[in-house]
Amino acid sequence: MNKPLRRAAVFCLALILALMGWATWIQGAKASDYKEDPHNPRVAIGKYSAPLGNILVGGEPVTGSAATSSTLKYKRTYKDGPLYAPVTGFSSQIYGSNQLESLYGDLLDGSDSRLQSPADALTRNRAKGGDVATTIDPKVQQAGYRALGGKKGAAVAMDPATGRILGMVSTPSYDPGKFSGSSAADQKAWQQMSADPDDPQVNRALRQPLPPGSTFKLVVAAAALENGLYSSVDEPTDSPDPYTLPHTRTKLPNENASAPCKNANIRTALQYSCNTVFAKMAVDLGKDKVKAQAEKLGFNDGKVDTPVRAAKSVYPGDMDEAQTALSGIGQFDDQATPLQMAMVTAAIQNGGDLKTPQLVDKLTDGGGNTVQENGPKTYRKAMSGRTAEQLRSAMQTVVDKGTASGAKIDGRTVGAKTGTAQHGVDNSGTPYAWFVSYAEDGKGHQVAVAVMVEDGHAARNEVSGNGLAAPIARAMMKAALP
């Protein structure tokens, strides 16, 4: 072989080796990247080539699949879409997916390796989609959705003993079935939802932290009892009325000027929601002790997964004493989601043992066989049993004699705390109405609830936790208890 021909042969061999190396790289190391790339049309074609598995509520599917005439052979359908959208999320041929539809997408479309039989692995066929069984109680979900009605807000109901989420409502909601396909009508529905100023696609129960107002006083009370600032909820506090914020001339008043807040004990201070008592209590404890107690209950944790991740609820650390006082009444930079405040109430109801909130009970394959089952998990020991017992007693007083009378249920033990959170420039915005509560029937059945109503159309003087939010909590508690 002459020299020029040999060089050409070596060059061609190098090109072949490079091509083989590149093909091996693509098929091996990069295969999963291409497979999961949302811009790869084969991903959507594979996902929607057969009916998807379902998301179950109370053992019944609230999702389905319908045949289409397009390349994507099936599209997702939803039963009672607006009711369960905060639970399921959406699965769209064009816009992707979120929440449970996204987190368990591989299980639902059959590509999860746990679903494959040996024959599927050999033939590379996709298995039949599996199902996701949620912890939602349809009666509780429906009760919360009806009670919220046309209001903007959210509500969460939990079983304190297990952490199971029994209801998770967010309004206004949306129908995920209206944009699950790829038609012009689907695209128009998506555009209308995206342009809605009320943001119906936001899951307010998990993803919208807001000032918790006076419901946060439960956290401060827990910190005071846990740190020995006061020995019981019936010991008088050292609290002037009004209270001058430290190092300022600003006097913090109480909403009810005639309330017996001066030197009130914790029980009375919760009953009348005395700002002066809890603002000074936070200062006396110091921001670090209040923060430590808040974090035991889930604040400042950016990884609270239900498994849908909740937005981080915040108790700030960088504050002066005046700011610490305001944080003690759930203002300044305090932020909490309804899930977070349900966790606070659940810990109090469950003797201080806070369970991890869970939205999914189990995963099954296409034949109904269990792939994964979720049992109760302890998030943290949030407070002693005695502190929890004291706070339960005080919360019952708030219902029986105080500002939370709207939560009473005949034949049930109910404890609660109201909250009205100021916001906006110089507190000019319509306040948020909060309500946290628990109920038990003495037979082992119990529930903890948190409700937030963000009703910008209500008259400012009509906004109260007891007026706007308590009926929603009461409806969910009644539905949860046999």
Side-chain angles (χ1 to χ4, degrees), residues 15-32:
L15 289 177
I16 292 171
L17 291 173
L19 182 61
M20 291 175 63
W22 179 249
T24 302
W25 170 255
I26 292 294
Q27 294 180 2
K30 298 292 290 182
S32 61

Side-chain angles (χ1 to χ4, degrees), residues 3 28 35 51 73 79 103 124 156-157 243 266 291 303 330 333 370 381 390 393 415 419 430 437 443 459 464:
K3 193 171 183 179
K35 182 181 177 181
K73 294 182 179 180
K79 178 184 177 181
L103 289 171
R124 294 191 175 184
V156 175
Y243 173 57
I266 291 174
K291 181 181 179 183
K303 296 182 179 180
D333 286 342
T370 299
K381 183 65 175 178
Q390 292 264 308
S393 174
T430 302
S437 59
K443 300 177 181 178
S464 71

Side-chain angles (χ1 to χ4, degrees), residues 316-341:
D318 186 15
M319 298 181 289
D320 61 27
E321 287 191 328
Q323 294 164 339
T324 299
L326 293 175
S327 77
I329 59 172
Q331 297 288 168
F332 185 55
D333 286 342
D334 293 9
Q335 299 280 306
T337 62
L339 175 69
Q340 173 61 74
M341 296 315 299

Side-chain angles (χ1 to χ4, degrees), residues 31-287:
S32 61
D33 291 345
Y34 285 111
K35 182 181 177 181
E36 296 170 5
D37 190 331
H39 297 99
N40 182 355
R42 291 182 180 273
V43 175
I45 291 171
K47 182 178 181 68
Y48 296 106
S49 62
L52 297 171
N54 287 309
I55 297 173
L56 311 179
V57 171
E60 298 296 325
V62 295
T63 58
S65 294
T68 72
S69 57
S70 71
T71 307
L72 306 177
K73 294 182 179 180
Y74 292 86
K75 71 173 185 177
R76 190 51 129 179
T77 61
Y78 294 87
K79 178 184 177 181
D80 294 325
L83 172 63
Y84 291 113
V87 177
T88 63
F90 64 80
S91 182
S92 168
Q93 293 179 345
I94 302 177
Y95 304 107
S97 58
N98 72 350
Q99 298 193 180
L100 295 186
E101 290 276 32
S102 175
L103 289 171
Y104 296 109
D106 288 350
L107 180 101
L108 294 165
D109 68 21
S111 62
D112 190 317
S113 60
R114 294 175 294 179
L115 306 184
Q116 287 188 331
S117 67
D120 292 330
L122 283 173
T123 61
R124 294 191 175 184
N125 287 332
R126 195 181 288 250
K128 182 181 178 181
D131 294 338
V132 178
T134 71
T135 60
I136 296 294
D137 182 329
K139 299 188 299 297
V140 178
Q141 186 78 4
Q142 291 162 10
Y145 188 74
R146 284 196 300 266
L148 265 166
K151 304 178 184 72
K152 185 191 293 187
V156 175
M158 288 176 60
D159 179 348
T162 63
R164 293 164 62 91
I165 298 174
L166 305 176
M168 185 168 68
V169 183
S170 177
T171 56
S173 189
Y174 64 95
D175 186 350
K178 288 188 174 181
F179 52 86
S180 62
S182 54
S183 69
D186 289 274
Q187 295 176 54
K188 183 178 180 181
W190 173 269
Q191 291 165 359
Q192 288 176 339
M193 182 188 72
S194 301
D196 190 328
D198 284 335
D199 295 326
Q201 73 273 24
V202 175
N203 185 341
R204 290 175 165 80
L206 297 181
R207 300 295 307 164
Q208 182 170 281
L210 295 170
S214 293
T215 59
F216 190 77
K217 292 171 181 174
L218 292 170
V219 179
V220 180
L225 294 171
E226 287 289 278
N227 287 280
L229 183 63
Y230 296 105
S231 61
S232 79
V233 293
D234 295 308
E235 179 185 343
T237 64
D238 179 16
S239 308
D241 183 12
Y243 173 57
T244 303
L245 298 179
H247 315 298
T248 76
R249 295 181 181 178
T250 302
K251 293 185 182 298
L252 179 69
N254 291 302
E255 192 71 22
N256 182 354
S258 61
C261 292
K262 184 175 181 179
N263 298 329
N265 59 35
I266 291 174
R267 184 188 301 277
T268 300
L270 288 173
Q271 178 184 344
Y272 290 93
S273 201
C274 299
N275 290 334
T276 51
V277 173
F278 292 99
K280 185 173 186 297
M281 195 179 297
V283 173
D284 290 346
L285 285 164
K287 61 186 179 183

